[in-house]
Amino acid sequence: MERKNRGSSDIHQLYTKRKLIPENWQSQLPNNSSPYTSTMVFVVRKGNPKQIKNWSDLIKPDVSIVTPNPKTSGGARWNYVAAWGYALKQNGNNEEAAKEFLKKLFKNAPVLDTGARGATTTFAEREIGDVLITWENEAHLVIKEFGADKFEVVVPPFSVLAEPPVTVVEDVARKHGTEEVSSAYLKYLYSKEGQELIAKHFYRPSDKEVAVKYAKQFPSLELVNIQQYGGWDEFHSKHFADGGVFDKIYQP
């Protein structure tokens, strides 16, 4: 099974490259096969000394940010999309202005870890940076693991809608005789009990009743959808492929 914080393009490669799943895999479960959603938020040090509240604060010259490398990290790509969407909105969809915004943002990143957990370690344990851009659930895990006396979560008014999808890798499941249990697990994610567990672990549940119950835990915000930019395949080719936008704006 594929799950957690991966984009649909990652899973779709199981079809395009190996035909391990059916082409219509994303229509086999509700909500584009996404039992929950998430978004990207900020973790700052207690008291928010740099007063970081929105994406525009991340390009201030005295702010040091921590984010993974979007060339290697799925989570970092969501960070990038959120920042790109914000920059486009602020600049009347001017892509050159958005590129300049992203260039300033990554200039403030002293180190780009390969993944989200590594970035969390850099920020929380190595105490590098003023702000960590990360998954909403990861942000709350930082608070639980390292203490509310050291860090706090800032939810910006604008971010990205992340819809981590799930599917059964049918070919593999068939070989191991786990088709039935795999399908049952995915269906469980959509159940009331499964949705409660999802919410308790700081993912945004898709079930409306459960979502209302945990509404105070998840502040509302404006969300950009990757489909607005042609979907992951198109966005990845334009921004993260060798020689793409990211390679042009980022100088280590």
Side-chain angles (χ1 to χ4, degrees):
M1 288 172 289
E2 285 287 319
R3 59 189 183 94
K4 195 127 164 108
N5 296 328
R6 301 186 68 83
S8 60
S9 65
D10 294 327
I11 294 182
H12 196 61
Q13 290 184 43
L14 295 174
Y15 167 74
T16 57
K17 294 186 176 181
R18 294 284 305 277
K19 301 297 187 291
L20 295 175
I21 57 177
E23 184 177 9
N24 67 337
W25 66 270
Q26 206 162 8
S27 64
Q28 294 185 335
L29 289 168
N31 305 319
N32 290 322
S33 289
S34 299
Y36 56 86
T37 64
S38 190
T39 191
M40 314 314 291
V41 302
F42 309 147
V43 181
V44 298
R45 304 197 182 278
K46 189 65 178 180
N48 196 3
K50 295 294 179 71
Q51 291 300 295
I52 296 166
K53 299 177 181 179
N54 208 342
W55 296 92
S56 56
D57 298 318
L58 303 186
I59 65 171
K60 294 178 180 178
D62 64 335
V63 170
S64 173
I65 72 169
V66 176
T67 180
N69 190 330
K71 299 275 282 190
T72 59
S73 166
R77 291 171 200 148
W78 289 105
N79 292 348
Y80 184 104
V81 173
W84 178 257
Y86 174 85
L88 285 178
K89 181 184 177 183
Q90 297 301 309
N91 294 284
N93 289 319
N94 185 315
E95 289 202 0
E96 292 306 312
K99 291 176 185 177
E100 187 61 28
F101 181 89
L102 268 294
K103 184 176 182 179
K104 291 178 180 178
L105 187 150
F106 281 98
K107 185 178 180 180
N108 282 354
V111 59
L112 295 182
D113 290 286
T114 57
R117 177 43 58 166
T120 297
T121 299
T122 293
F123 179 75
E125 294 187 21
R126 297 173 62 195
E127 298 185 347
I128 293 175
D130 301 304
V131 54
L132 169 69
I133 313 173
T134 190
W135 291 100
E136 188 171 40
N137 69 295
E138 182 76 9
H140 286 282
L141 289 176
V142 170
I143 304 301
K144 290 182 67 176
E145 184 175 350
F146 298 98
D149 59 324
K150 294 182 179 180
F151 305 101
E152 56 189 78
V153 177
V154 173
V155 179
F158 181 98
S159 195
V160 63
L161 173 66
E163 299 176 290
V166 295
T167 192
V168 175
V169 183
E170 295 181 354
D171 188 58
V172 176
R174 192 178 302 112
K175 289 180 179 178
H176 292 276
T178 57
E179 289 177 281
E180 186 175 344
V181 68
S182 296
S183 296
Y185 169 69
L186 296 193
K187 290 180 181 178
Y188 173 77
L189 293 177
Y190 289 90
S191 69
K192 294 291 184 184
E193 184 178 12
Q195 291 286 296
E196 287 272 352
L197 285 172
I198 283 168
K200 288 177 181 178
H201 286 83
F202 303 102
Y203 293 101
R204 298 186 176 223
S206 59
D207 184 278
K208 293 182 179 180
E209 290 183 4
V210 178
V212 169
K213 181 178 178 180
Y214 288 86
K216 291 183 179 180
Q217 181 174 293
F218 301 110
S220 60
L221 65 166
E222 183 179 353
L223 299 171
V224 67
N225 192 314
I226 187 64
Q227 298 305 321
Q228 294 175 227
Y229 309 125
W232 269 117
D233 289 343
E234 182 176 325
F235 195 88
H236 188 282
S237 296
K238 179 176 180 177
H239 290 267
F240 307 130
D242 290 344
V245 173
F246 179 73
D247 283 347
K248 292 175 181 177
I249 66 170
Y250 178 65
Q251 297 297 325

